[in-house]
Amino acid sequence: MAHLAHDPAIRADRRTTLELGAVLPQTAEVRHGHLYVGGVDMVELAREQGTALYVMDVAQIRQQLRAYREALGAANQVVYAGKAFLNKAMVKLLIAEGSWLDVSSGGELAIALAAGFDPGHIVMHGNNKTEAELTEAIQAGVGLIVADCFEELDRISRITTERGSTQSILLRVKPGVVADTHAFIRTGAEDSKFGFGLSGGEGGSGGAARMAVENALALPGIHLAGLHAHIGSQIFALASFAETIAVLADFMGALRTSSGFTPEILDLGGGLGIAYQAADEPATIRDLGSLLTTHLASCCGELGLPLPRLMVEPGRSVVATAGLTLYTVGVIKKLKGLRCYVAIDGGMTDNIRTALYDARYEATLANRAAAPRDTVVTLAGKHCESGDVVALDASLQSPEIGDIVAVFGTGAYNASMSSNYNAQVRPGVVFVEDGEARLVQRRETYADLTARDVE
Ligand code: LLP
């Protein structure tokens, strides 16, 4: 595999754990050589709970949600994207912090409802929501459904008409903006399965989006509240967001003339990037908020449009940096002239992002965190694939069997994309805050692995 080829240019540095800056959760510190997060000793936690283990710094999650609230202002709304990381404890944290929630399946909706989330604050996504999922969402009374296609408009209208209710919706639009990120997580271009195109193609010369607006306005049981666009994920260049706003404002202007419709809500999706590596310099939440609010105000002002309520749906930038994964080193293979494989007790089942997107991660030894990370190793998993790598060419203190490795930035799209490949049990999740560790999701057991088997 190309991405496993040895790169002799990569050399270890002598930086210590704390020099990882923005990669670390805000409460990370080193005390008597051990990594502490949320005031909790990660080495002791690994000993108590076993590894692999997901750990989340609750203070960091709260800080990110508050930063979004402040950056957007009271008139606008942050809607956390549950696909990044979701369980009942996370839902309760969102309730405490006043965030809305974006769910993208009946399953995510069920988790939210099981944890007591206000359905009126839920935004339901999906490019092929089943009839059952739509019915569940409408019955629960979700605040908004983001309609993705013509079939769905008809389905929503049929379900609400039968029930004698009305459902507020947004229409997902493809703004034709190509965000500067990995192709697998780009969604805003015309050639995408998500949403209605603005020009040509499906729907004729006026574009599918304009036709969808007309349909939504005409169909019974539907209240068209506004528009939605999500251009991709792990985006560093804020210009893509500005471009999206400009395109949508033009569309809003055209809609006012063609159908007299003005959106109450404009939802710009998620996508803000985070620092996975020490050298990464993502934009801040404050920069994003100020760009979105000022650009929207100026575009609407120019066109004489009323200012819609702005929503954003961040996932990664709320939880990624808060999370780390603890592993134990089991095997070390030094291949002369090639590389040093350090095998840990997890891998692609708890973190598929390296295999899927060539993602890069920083790591440290939690039990020797004050020492310089002066060796380059490849953190490999325990699964039956060569591509089962968590961190390629990672700087680490020279590892020994039994050391506890902490991999940073794993709070988003790790637990939520985990699998049982090789019948691996999924790790537990611990929330740490103010010196307390709280197990919020237990590790799976072998009994869980056969629980669905029917004899
Ligand atoms: N809203 C919508 C409609 C989305 O599809 C997504 C992510 C978000 C919000 C949240 O985006 P974020 O703020 O997290 O960038 N598994 C990939 C990421 C896939 C993102 C899918 N949609 C990864 O691990 O990089």
Side-chain angles (χ1 to χ4, degrees), residues 96-354:
E97 294 297 327
S99 172
W100 283 33
L101 175 62
D102 141 12
V103 299
S104 54
S105 70
E108 287 182 1
L109 175 63
I111 294 171
L113 297 177
F117 199 81
D118 178 349
H121 293 172
I122 292 178
V123 180
M124 174 85 171
H125 274 281
N127 73 302
N128 180 17
K129 306 170 193 76
T130 65
E131 189 93 16
E133 286 174 319
L134 286 171
T135 308
E136 284 155 19
I138 290 165
Q139 258 168 12
V142 301
L144 291 163
I145 294 180
V146 182
D148 203 272
C149 56
F150 289 106
E151 294 87 337
E152 195 169 287
L153 288 173
D154 293 334
R155 287 177 193 144
I156 295 171
S157 176
R158 185 161 30 77
I159 297 166
T160 51
T161 316
E162 275 166 18
R163 294 171 45 84
S165 63
T166 298
Q167 178 64 51
S168 291
I169 68 159
L170 304 179
L171 287 182
R172 180 159 179 174
V173 167
K174 285 186 270 199
V177 172
V178 179
D180 179 23
T181 188
H182 195 290
F184 288 7
I185 49 178
R186 245 185 243 149
T187 47
E190 275 294 331
D191 184 1
S192 161
K193 68 170 179 169
F194 298 105
F196 298 96
L198 281 176
S199 56
E202 191 193 17
S205 58
R210 187 175 309 179
M211 194 183 271
V213 169
E214 280 160 24
N215 285 14
L217 291 172
L219 282 165
I222 286 183
H223 167 65
L224 179 59
L227 303 175
H228 174 282
H230 169 79
I231 53 173
S233 198
Q234 185 59 2
I235 296 168
F236 276 32
L238 294 185
S240 305
F241 292 105
E243 215 184 311
T244 305
I245 289 178
V247 170
L248 290 176
D250 278 349
F251 182 50
M252 280 156 55
L255 285 178
R256 186 186 43 184
T257 314
S258 66
S259 54
F261 171 69
T262 40
E264 299 148 41
I265 296 172
L266 190 63
D267 182 335
L268 290 171
L272 182 63
I274 63 121
Y276 281 105
Q277 295 194 277
D280 290 344
E281 287 181 355
T284 64
I285 292 172
R286 186 201 290 237
D287 289 344
L288 175 69
S290 116
L291 174 126
L292 295 182
T293 49
T294 49
H295 209 66
L296 184 61
S298 81
C299 287
C300 287
E302 267 168 39
L303 295 166
L305 293 166
L307 196 60
R309 179 180 188 197
L310 179 66
M311 290 190 174
V312 291
E313 301 171 336
R316 189 190 316 267
S317 53
V318 174
V319 287
T321 306
L324 57 151
T325 312
L326 300 177
Y327 303 98
T328 304
V329 174
V331 171
I332 299 174
K333 274 189 191 159
K334 289 187 181 147
L335 306 187
K336 220 165 173 231
L338 289 171
R339 67 180 58 244
C340 176
Y341 282 99
V342 174
I344 48 175
D345 50 356
M348 66 192 296
T349 50
D350 61 74
N351 184 353
I352 191 66
R353 297 195 68 261
T354 307

Side-chain angles (χ1 to χ4, degrees), residues 363-383:
T364 195
L365 290 185
N367 53 317
R368 271 188 278 139
R373 298 156 59 247
D374 55 6
T375 312
V376 170
V377 303
T378 287
L379 287 176
K382 66 192 290 285
H383 304 299

